[in-house]
Amino acid sequence: MKAIKIIFSMGLILLMLKANAQKNLLTNGGFEDDFYGWNNGGGQVTPWNIKSGKNSCAIVTTNTDKWVGIDQTVRIPKKATAIEFSAWLKTLNVVKGKNDWEGALFSVAFLDSNDKEINGGDNIARLTGDQQWTLYTKVIKIPQRAVSFKVLIAMGNASGTMIADDVAAKELIEQPAIK
């Protein structure tokens, strides 16, 4: 009887995990449709260096005196309590400017109803040098008053090349504990 309860509990847990698997909240996270859904401030779609699919986004800069990148703002689903952000990133010859916070960046900022940042942004990755394809991921609890979030992939006062693919944001819903 105890074995049946354990098997039944495991089945329920697997069912909950499957039910909680969410679709990507970002539009066109793999850049398969050029920059559809993204604000493009200097990115280039490329078929030459990809993690999956047919395209990726390359951001190439030659000096460290400006920000170049892409971003996308998304409304937060009502029941979400946290969001898991992820992206596959690769860098070539990235040299940051004079400040430690500069480099090839993957970050997110939560916004209130007036599109103002709440508590500044969260850096998920800040890269320099050469980096092979690596998955960067972070779960961030949604702050109070947040109605949307902005994902930013940029060369922040850095030179070199940053390549991004399969960028995702997936809502997480806190489930009540099973007793």
Side-chain angles (χ1 to χ4, degrees):
M1 188 65 157
K2 188 174 184 179
I4 292 173
K5 283 184 181 180
I6 291 172
I7 292 171
F8 180 73
S9 295
M10 288 176 58
L12 278 176
I13 290 170
L14 288 174
L15 185 62
M16 279 185 7
L17 289 174
K18 185 171 181 156
N20 285 333
Q22 301 295 322
K23 70 177 184 85
N24 191 356
L25 298 173
L26 294 172
T27 300
N28 189 28
F31 308 100
E32 303 306 312
D33 295 316
D34 201 44
F35 282 108
Y36 177 75
W38 293 91
N39 297 311
N40 185 4
Q44 304 166 7
V45 170
T46 177
W48 305 113
N49 201 336
I50 58 172
K51 179 62 184 161
S52 70
K54 64 181 182 177
N55 292 322
S56 65
C57 170
I59 302 169
V60 181
T61 59
T62 56
N63 57 49
T64 61
D65 65 352
K66 62 182 176 179
W67 282 71
V68 178
I70 61 171
D71 68 80
Q72 186 173 144
T73 302
V74 176
R75 192 139 184 95
I76 298 170
K78 290 188 187 299
K79 293 182 182 181
T81 57
I83 299 177
E84 179 183 58
F85 297 95
S86 63
W88 283 93
L89 304 175
K90 180 177 182 176
T91 59
L92 305 164
N93 273 343
V94 173
V95 177
K96 70 178 184 65
K98 60 184 175 188
N99 298 306
D100 286 340
W101 48 266
E102 298 171 335
L105 305 172
F106 171 35
S107 64
V108 63
F110 286 92
L111 309 172
D112 66 15
S113 59
N114 296 316
D115 289 332
K116 302 286 184 207
E117 277 190 28
I118 299 171
N119 303 331
D122 283 287
N123 232 2
I124 298 167
R126 186 193 60 79
L127 308 170
T128 58
D130 295 327
Q131 176 79 46
Q132 292 302 312
W133 282 112
T134 304
L135 178 63
Y136 292 89
T137 184
K138 184 174 184 180
V139 174
I140 303 174
K141 187 174 190 261
I142 298 169
Q144 290 183 349
R145 300 184 354 261
V147 297
S148 60
F149 62 86
K150 180 188 283 190
V151 170
L152 173 70
I153 297 176
M155 293 290 283
N157 295 337
S159 64
T161 301
M162 175 186 198
I163 305 168
D165 205 355
D166 299 331
V167 184
K170 296 182 179 178
E171 77 176 291
L172 302 176
I173 300 170
E174 192 172 297
Q175 296 293 323
I178 297 176
K179 293 183 180 184

